[in-house]
Amino acid sequence: MDRITALRLHEMMLLTRVTEERLVLLYRQGATLGSVYRSLGQEATACATALALGPEDVIAPLIRNLGSMLVRGVTPEEMFLQYLGRATGPTGGREHNNHFGSIERGLIAPTSMLGALIPVMAGVALTFKQKGEARVAMTWIGDGGSSTGAFYEGLNFAVVQNLPLIVVGESNGYAYSTPPTKQMKGRLAERNLGAFTMEVDGNDAAAVFDAASEARARCLRGEGPVFLVCETFRMKGHAEHDDQRYVDHELLESWAAKDPLSRFEAWMAEKGWPVEANLRPRLESEVSAMADRALAAPWPDSASLTQGVYAAPPRQEAR
Ligand SMILES: Cc1ncc(C[n+]2csc(CCOP(=O)(O)OP(=O)(O)O)c2C)c(N)n1
């Protein structure tokens, strides 16, 4: 990784953290339409993987991958408007959290149904292969999500069709309150169905970037899908409403010492690549202004309730 890429990766990880911190405040003020989902401790698995792609590649994130959306050019302001359900947000108040896409930015909207994005992205990768385009598709899955049928169907299809698909497995300790040992035998990496598999320290952003770059190069060489498993830890509950009381405090402390952001800062310092001294306050102030603008944004008009929800407005039954 060169210095410019490292600086961008650092800024994206920090921007993810600052944006989520502000979202938490908005949640505590009762301003968000629902809970807030953190990726604390997992910023590297979202940002470093997405940053290893080219602009022509396509991603489909999950709830824990807000950072990958920022890498693709989504602004914190769009994220605030969405979480606040405002008319000028990406879905005009129809959806909340990070559930929105942006085809022009190569971003397929996250869906709640875990595993469902694997066959979707296998389909995207299939079109790249059929058209002979040098592009890859990437999506993410947690250890819990890997227990779904859709995960197996999608990954199996990608393997037998030799598709340019990267599935980033986030082995992060808990699925809601369920530890992996209660829903799988063995390790996440073993659920690869024959896909080329890489295992990496998910809290080492430089290592994640290198692994994702290698995965992309394999896909572009026509060597089929890659299952890139990142060993990491979910440092917050499933969402802000979950106080994570089922997680051992010492375990959390041991993972806090491996925080991906501070580790990456130490790595950059070792390289002699200093980060901007007042980067955090600058990002905080920019993000704060965006949150304020989102709070002042209009609500959707109730007359538009059915618009943008159905493909066509529902038929009005005569009563
Ligand atoms: C098919 C399906 N089953 C159940 C759920 C409800 N659900 C949402 S998140 C979650 C846990 C996900 O755990 P994991 O995949 O490990 O991801 P993490 O939250 O740890 O990042 C569950 C069961 C869902 N969204 N989709």
Side-chain angles (χ1 to χ4, degrees):
M1 187 188 323
D2 59 27
R3 185 178 147 270
I4 300 296
T5 309
L7 285 169
R8 179 153 161 75
L9 176 52
H10 174 257
E11 181 162 345
M12 286 297 109
M13 291 201 292
L14 187 55
L15 185 61
T16 304
R17 193 161 290 187
V18 167
T19 301
E20 290 185 358
E21 284 169 1
R22 186 58 196 244
L23 279 170
V24 170
L25 295 184
L26 291 167
Y27 167 78
R28 291 187 185 154
Q29 289 165 345
T32 61
L33 300 186
S35 206
V36 166
Y37 300 79
R38 294 292 309 266
S39 63
L40 185 65
Q42 294 179 236
E43 292 91 346
T45 63
C47 296
T49 47
L51 199 63
L53 301 183
E56 64 285 4
D57 299 332
V58 173
I59 68 166
L62 282 184
I63 197 77
R64 228 55 82 201
N65 309 120
L66 182 149
S68 70
M69 298 173 77
L70 299 181
V71 168
R72 295 305 289 211
V74 168
T75 63
E77 188 160 343
E78 285 174 275
M79 203 60 74
F80 293 136
L81 287 165
Q82 172 82 354
Y83 260 99
L84 297 175
R86 301 310 165 100
T88 47
T91 61
R94 271 48 174 190
E95 254 284 18
H96 71 123
N97 57 57
N98 72 339
H99 287 186
F100 61 93
S102 171
I103 294 297
E104 60 283 3
R105 288 177 284 194
L107 184 60
I108 305 275
T111 61
S112 282
M113 300 317 293
L114 294 173
L117 285 170
I118 313 277
V120 167
M121 295 310 278
V124 169
L126 178 65
T127 66
F128 295 160
K129 186 181 173 187
Q130 286 175 332
K131 292 180 179 173
E133 294 174 348
R135 304 167 76 185
V136 308
M138 175 182 276
T139 190
W140 289 257
I141 194 74
D143 33 77
S146 73
S147 290
T148 58
F151 168 83
Y152 286 96
E153 290 176 36
L155 188 55
N156 184 62
F157 182 76
V159 168
V160 295
Q161 297 289 335
N162 211 41
L163 302 177
L165 173 70
I166 302 170
V167 176
V168 181
E170 292 192 87
S171 173
N172 69 350
Y174 281 85
Y176 264 110
S177 56
T178 307
T181 46
K182 293 227 166 131
Q183 54 99 19
M184 74 166 84
K185 213 166 170 59
R187 301 188 338 275
L188 180 57
E190 287 162 345
R191 294 186 153 178
N192 62 16
L193 299 171
F196 182 79
T197 301
M198 304 169 82
E199 288 183 86
V200 66
D201 176 347
N203 287 27
D204 180 343
V208 174
F209 179 84
D210 287 347
S213 304
E214 192 185 328
R216 179 171 186 265
R218 285 188 69 93
C219 284
L220 292 179
R221 287 197 302 265
E223 293 171 18
V226 177
F227 191 30
L228 170 54
V229 178
C230 299
E231 199 60 43
T232 181
F233 202 78
R234 197 195 69 195
M235 296 301 290
K236 300 288 284 181
H238 176 64
E240 280 305 295
H241 57 265
D242 168 6
D243 68 7
Q244 217 182 9
R245 70 184 66 171
Y246 45 85
V247 181
D248 182 60
H249 192 67
E250 281 173 10
L251 186 59
L252 277 171
E253 276 183 356
S254 71
W255 278 97
K258 298 186 239 178
D259 177 67
L261 202 45
S262 11
R263 269 177 79 183
F264 194 57
E265 282 164 1
W267 182 85
M268 288 184 72
E270 253 177 52
K271 288 255 178 201
W273 296 342
V275 298
E276 185 186 319
N278 67 340
L279 184 59
R280 195 182 232 277
R282 175 170 71 75
L283 292 180
E284 278 174 351
S285 135
E286 288 169 8
V287 161
S288 183
M290 291 188 222
D292 290 343
R293 283 200 295 273
L295 280 165
W299 292 101
D301 179 358
S302 58
S304 71
L305 196 66
T306 60
Q307 290 166 16
V309 178
Y310 300 97
R315 194 158 51 92
Q316 296 295 313
E317 300 291 347
R319 288 177 192 271

